[in-house]
Short mmCIF file of all heavy atoms in Angstrom, two decimals:
data_model
loop_
_atom_site.label_atom_id
_atom_site.label_comp_id
_atom_site.label_asym_id
_atom_site.label_seq_id
_atom_site.Cartn_x
_atom_site.Cartn_y
_atom_site.Cartn_z
N ASP A 101 -108.65 30.06 25.01
CA ASP A 101 -109.68 30.94 25.56
C ASP A 101 -110.94 30.79 24.73
O ASP A 101 -110.95 31.10 23.53
CB ASP A 101 -109.15 32.39 25.52
CG ASP A 101 -110.20 33.38 26.04
OD1 ASP A 101 -111.29 32.93 26.49
OD2 ASP A 101 -109.93 34.60 25.99
N LEU A 102 -112.00 30.28 25.37
CA LEU A 102 -113.26 30.08 24.65
C LEU A 102 -114.30 31.10 25.06
O LEU A 102 -115.50 30.90 24.85
CB LEU A 102 -113.77 28.65 24.92
CG LEU A 102 -112.81 27.52 24.53
CD1 LEU A 102 -113.38 26.17 24.94
CD2 LEU A 102 -112.52 27.54 23.04
N GLY A 103 -113.86 32.16 25.68
CA GLY A 103 -114.79 33.19 26.13
C GLY A 103 -115.32 32.88 27.51
O GLY A 103 -114.80 33.37 28.50
N ALA A 104 -116.33 31.98 27.57
CA ALA A 104 -116.95 31.65 28.85
C ALA A 104 -116.02 30.81 29.73
O ALA A 104 -116.16 30.79 30.95
CB ALA A 104 -118.25 30.90 28.61
N CYS A 105 -115.08 30.09 29.11
CA CYS A 105 -114.18 29.23 29.87
C CYS A 105 -112.93 28.96 29.06
O CYS A 105 -112.77 29.48 27.95
CB CYS A 105 -114.87 27.92 30.24
SG CYS A 105 -115.38 26.99 28.78
N GLU A 106 -112.04 28.16 29.63
CA GLU A 106 -110.81 27.79 28.92
C GLU A 106 -110.74 26.28 28.76
O GLU A 106 -111.14 25.53 29.66
CB GLU A 106 -109.57 28.27 29.70
CG GLU A 106 -109.39 29.78 29.66
CD GLU A 106 -108.12 30.24 30.35
OE1 GLU A 106 -107.48 29.43 31.07
OE2 GLU A 106 -107.76 31.42 30.20
N LEU A 107 -110.22 25.84 27.63
CA LEU A 107 -109.89 24.43 27.44
C LEU A 107 -108.40 24.30 27.73
O LEU A 107 -107.59 24.99 27.11
CB LEU A 107 -110.20 23.98 26.02
CG LEU A 107 -109.92 22.49 25.73
CD1 LEU A 107 -110.90 21.58 26.49
CD2 LEU A 107 -110.00 22.19 24.23
N ARG A 108 -108.06 23.42 28.71
CA ARG A 108 -106.67 23.32 29.14
C ARG A 108 -106.18 21.88 29.07
O ARG A 108 -106.87 20.95 29.49
CB ARG A 108 -106.55 23.79 30.59
CG ARG A 108 -106.93 25.25 30.80
CD ARG A 108 -106.99 25.55 32.28
NE ARG A 108 -107.18 26.99 32.53
CZ ARG A 108 -107.31 27.51 33.74
NH1 ARG A 108 -107.27 26.73 34.81
NH2 ARG A 108 -107.47 28.81 33.89
N LEU A 109 -104.96 21.73 28.58
CA LEU A 109 -104.31 20.42 28.55
C LEU A 109 -103.07 20.48 29.42
O LEU A 109 -102.19 21.32 29.20
CB LEU A 109 -103.90 20.05 27.11
CG LEU A 109 -103.05 18.78 26.96
CD1 LEU A 109 -103.90 17.54 27.19
CD2 LEU A 109 -102.41 18.73 25.59
N SER A 110 -103.02 19.62 30.45
CA SER A 110 -101.81 19.52 31.25
C SER A 110 -101.31 18.08 31.17
O SER A 110 -102.11 17.15 31.01
CB SER A 110 -102.07 19.92 32.71
OG SER A 110 -103.02 19.05 33.30
N ASP A 111 -99.99 17.91 31.26
CA ASP A 111 -99.41 16.58 31.09
C ASP A 111 -97.99 16.56 31.64
O ASP A 111 -97.03 16.86 30.92
CB ASP A 111 -99.42 16.22 29.59
CG ASP A 111 -98.84 14.84 29.32
OD1 ASP A 111 -98.54 14.10 30.27
OD2 ASP A 111 -98.67 14.52 28.12
N PRO A 112 -97.83 16.23 32.94
CA PRO A 112 -96.50 16.29 33.57
C PRO A 112 -95.44 15.47 32.82
O PRO A 112 -94.33 15.90 32.65
CB PRO A 112 -96.75 15.72 34.97
CG PRO A 112 -98.19 15.94 35.22
CD PRO A 112 -98.87 15.85 33.89
N ARG A 113 -95.81 14.27 32.40
CA ARG A 113 -94.80 13.41 31.77
C ARG A 113 -94.60 13.70 30.29
O ARG A 113 -93.71 13.15 29.66
CB ARG A 113 -95.16 11.94 31.99
CG ARG A 113 -94.54 11.41 33.27
CD ARG A 113 -95.14 10.10 33.70
NE ARG A 113 -96.12 10.32 34.74
CZ ARG A 113 -96.69 9.35 35.44
NH1 ARG A 113 -96.39 8.10 35.19
NH2 ARG A 113 -97.55 9.64 36.36
N ARG A 114 -95.44 14.54 29.74
CA ARG A 114 -95.31 14.97 28.35
C ARG A 114 -95.24 13.82 27.35
O ARG A 114 -94.54 13.89 26.36
CB ARG A 114 -94.08 15.88 28.19
CG ARG A 114 -94.39 17.29 28.66
CD ARG A 114 -93.40 18.29 28.12
NE ARG A 114 -92.34 18.58 29.08
CZ ARG A 114 -91.06 18.65 28.78
NH1 ARG A 114 -90.66 18.46 27.56
NH2 ARG A 114 -90.18 18.93 29.70
N PHE A 115 -95.93 12.72 27.65
CA PHE A 115 -96.02 11.64 26.69
C PHE A 115 -97.16 11.90 25.70
O PHE A 115 -97.32 11.18 24.73
CB PHE A 115 -96.27 10.31 27.41
CG PHE A 115 -95.03 9.60 27.82
CD1 PHE A 115 -93.89 10.30 28.12
CD2 PHE A 115 -94.99 8.21 27.88
CE1 PHE A 115 -92.72 9.65 28.50
CE2 PHE A 115 -93.83 7.55 28.26
CZ PHE A 115 -92.69 8.27 28.57
N GLY A 116 -97.95 12.90 26.01
CA GLY A 116 -99.07 13.24 25.14
C GLY A 116 -98.60 13.91 23.86
O GLY A 116 -97.39 14.02 23.60
N ARG A 117 -99.54 14.37 23.09
CA ARG A 117 -99.20 14.90 21.77
C ARG A 117 -100.25 15.90 21.31
O ARG A 117 -101.45 15.72 21.53
CB ARG A 117 -99.13 13.73 20.79
CG ARG A 117 -98.98 14.10 19.34
CD ARG A 117 -98.84 12.81 18.55
NE ARG A 117 -99.12 13.03 17.14
CZ ARG A 117 -99.28 12.08 16.24
NH1 ARG A 117 -99.17 10.81 16.62
NH2 ARG A 117 -99.54 12.35 15.00
N ILE A 118 -99.76 16.95 20.69
CA ILE A 118 -100.64 17.93 20.04
C ILE A 118 -100.22 17.99 18.58
O ILE A 118 -99.03 18.08 18.28
CB ILE A 118 -100.50 19.33 20.69
CG1 ILE A 118 -100.91 19.29 22.17
CG2 ILE A 118 -101.33 20.36 19.93
CD1 ILE A 118 -100.62 20.57 22.93
N ALA A 119 -101.19 17.90 17.68
CA ALA A 119 -100.86 17.97 16.25
C ALA A 119 -102.07 18.50 15.49
O ALA A 119 -103.16 18.66 16.05
CB ALA A 119 -100.46 16.60 15.72
N TRP A 120 -101.83 18.77 14.23
CA TRP A 120 -102.89 19.21 13.33
C TRP A 120 -103.09 18.10 12.33
O TRP A 120 -102.11 17.50 11.86
CB TRP A 120 -102.48 20.50 12.62
CG TRP A 120 -103.61 21.23 11.99
CD1 TRP A 120 -103.94 21.23 10.67
CD2 TRP A 120 -104.58 22.04 12.65
NE1 TRP A 120 -105.06 22.00 10.47
CE2 TRP A 120 -105.47 22.50 11.67
CE3 TRP A 120 -104.78 22.40 13.99
CZ2 TRP A 120 -106.54 23.33 11.98
CZ3 TRP A 120 -105.84 23.22 14.29
CH2 TRP A 120 -106.72 23.68 13.29
#
Side-chain angles (χ1 to χ4, degrees):
Chain A
D101 178 4
L102 302 175
C105 60
E106 288 184 348
L107 182 68
R108 298 171 173 178
L109 173 73
S110 62
D111 180 7
R113 270 166 260 189
R114 281 198 263 135
F115 271 30
R117 172 176 162 191
I118 298 172
W120 196 258

